[in-house]
Amino acid sequence: MRIPMMVGNWKMNNDNDEAWDLAVAIAEGLEDLEGCQVVVCPPFTALVSVGEAMEGTDIALGGQNLYWETSGAFTGEISAPMLTSCGCEYVIVGHSERRGRFGKAPAEECLLSVFGDNDATVNKKVKAALSGDLIPIVCVGELLAERQEEKTDEVVEGQVVAALAELVEDEIVDVVFAYEPVWAIGTGEVCEAGEANRVCRIIREALAEKVGADEAEQMIVLYGGSVSPGNIQGLMEQPDIDGGLVGGACLKDESFCELAKVAAEVKGE
Ligand code: PEP
């Protein structure tokens, strides 16, 4: 049985004081929550204070990115051991904003990525996370142009396979995937629940090719892209969506807590 998961990606929001306040409010709001693994991913600068604010709760801490080397002359980068030393158990890998695949921008513009993540670096980061005792939450998803060209399945499957290159079964089973159609991120335009489920199923089938159907059935596949209290119920009712990766709606404690509660309730039925 899969335990639902609700991940809050704070992106580049909240200084230390704001982060503390939001973390305390989330911890209080979810005090009685059971049946949903909540993960909060603040900016690196707030990891320690958010960890402190959530001490004694079941809420886990995650980074938003990592570098694949463990230490050295890599100015501005953060390694897996650094994240675990701040209390992280999870790390987001390959978010579309880091792959340079933005909103509804045309494919040519998206190639001008400022952060440079691509299938090869995502694979290195997944490996670094796993060897550093972090669970990677790997983001995959198509651009609007790719969906219009009916390339969604091919793009998503390709990203899943590339992220897992050279990994063995025992490692793959720990990886969490998040289907995040790029055109749905931060746009208010959520993917229709049945279609989101269909693509999450495709991800699970790609995983089954690697680890076998039984193991793939135990793996967590999330949906992300304009998740809100208004659409969470329908998404959680889908059999292959195990939870959400949330941006905008995780910045307010009321809405984020609501998402986690609905996930627990729907999946617990
Ligand atoms: C995200 O940042 O991964 C995301 C899905 O953002 P939003 O919920 O704002 O669309």
Side-chain angles (χ1 to χ4, degrees):
M1 171 142 153
R2 306 191 293 263
I3 296 173
M5 179 178 284
M6 198 55 64
V7 184
N9 174 15
W10 292 11
K11 309 194 186 189
M12 197 174 71
N13 293 296
N14 296 323
D15 65 20
N16 257 327
D17 292 341
E18 293 162 339
W20 173 269
D21 291 345
L22 179 55
V24 167
I26 291 171
E28 282 173 8
L30 295 179
E31 215 168 18
D32 300 324
L33 181 76
E34 277 177 19
C36 180
Q37 176 62 66
V38 175
V39 184
V40 167
C41 304
F44 295 137
T45 48
L47 281 171
V48 172
S49 58
V50 169
E52 272 171 31
M54 293 181 163
E55 220 168 85
T57 73
D58 292 330
I59 301 171
L61 198 60
Q64 296 177 15
N65 181 39
L66 82 167
Y67 191 60
W68 53 84
E69 298 289 347
T70 51
S71 64
F74 305 103
T75 303
E77 294 297 318
I78 300 283
S79 69
M82 289 170 172
L83 290 176
T84 51
S85 76
C86 293
C88 288
E89 295 171 66
Y90 293 82
V91 62
I92 298 172
V93 177
H95 191 282
S96 57
E97 287 154 15
R98 298 205 59 88
R99 291 182 191 248
R101 291 161 65 84
F102 303 118
K104 293 183 176 177
E108 318 81 74
E109 281 177 30
C110 294
L111 293 175
L112 303 169
S113 169
V114 267
F115 304 119
D117 272 5
N118 56 41
D119 283 347
T121 62
V122 167
N123 175 240
K124 281 171 179 262
K125 290 180 180 194
V126 170
K127 288 175 182 159
L130 290 168
S131 15
D133 278 336
L134 289 164
I135 297 177
I137 301 169
V138 183
C139 304
V140 296
E142 81 287 359
L143 298 169
L144 181 62
E146 291 163 342
R147 173 160 283 270
Q148 286 164 341
E149 289 162 24
E150 299 185 5
K151 289 187 180 152
T152 298
D153 301 6
E154 181 191 322
V155 167
V156 170
E157 260 178 79
Q159 289 174 342
V160 171
V161 170
L164 300 176
E166 294 160 10
L167 289 172
V168 298
E169 228 178 279
D170 280 1
E171 296 171 313
I172 295 173
V173 290
D174 289 334
V175 179
V176 172
F177 275 89
Y179 168 51
E180 296 214 307
V182 181
W183 48 270
I185 296 181
T187 60
E189 202 177 315
V190 67
C191 183
E192 190 273 319
E195 171 60 9
N197 187 69
R198 188 190 70 79
V199 183
C200 287
R201 183 76 217 162
I202 283 174
I203 293 173
R204 206 177 293 287
E205 280 163 11
L207 296 173
E209 294 284 318
K210 298 267 179 193
V211 299
D214 289 350
E215 292 289 358
E217 285 305 319
Q218 302 309 313
M219 291 178 68
I220 301 295
V221 181
L222 310 174
Y223 165 79
S226 297
V227 172
S228 73
N231 56 39
I232 188 70
Q233 175 91 20
L235 289 163
M236 289 304 99
E237 282 169 356
Q238 302 296 321
D240 274 297
I241 301 179
D242 300 318
L245 174 51
V246 187
C250 79
L251 296 174
K252 293 265 177 288
D253 59 295
E254 299 90 350
S255 50
F256 187 58
C257 292
E258 172 75 8
L259 297 178
K261 287 176 190 170
V262 173
E265 195 183 296
V266 175
K267 295 295 184 186
E269 279 167 4

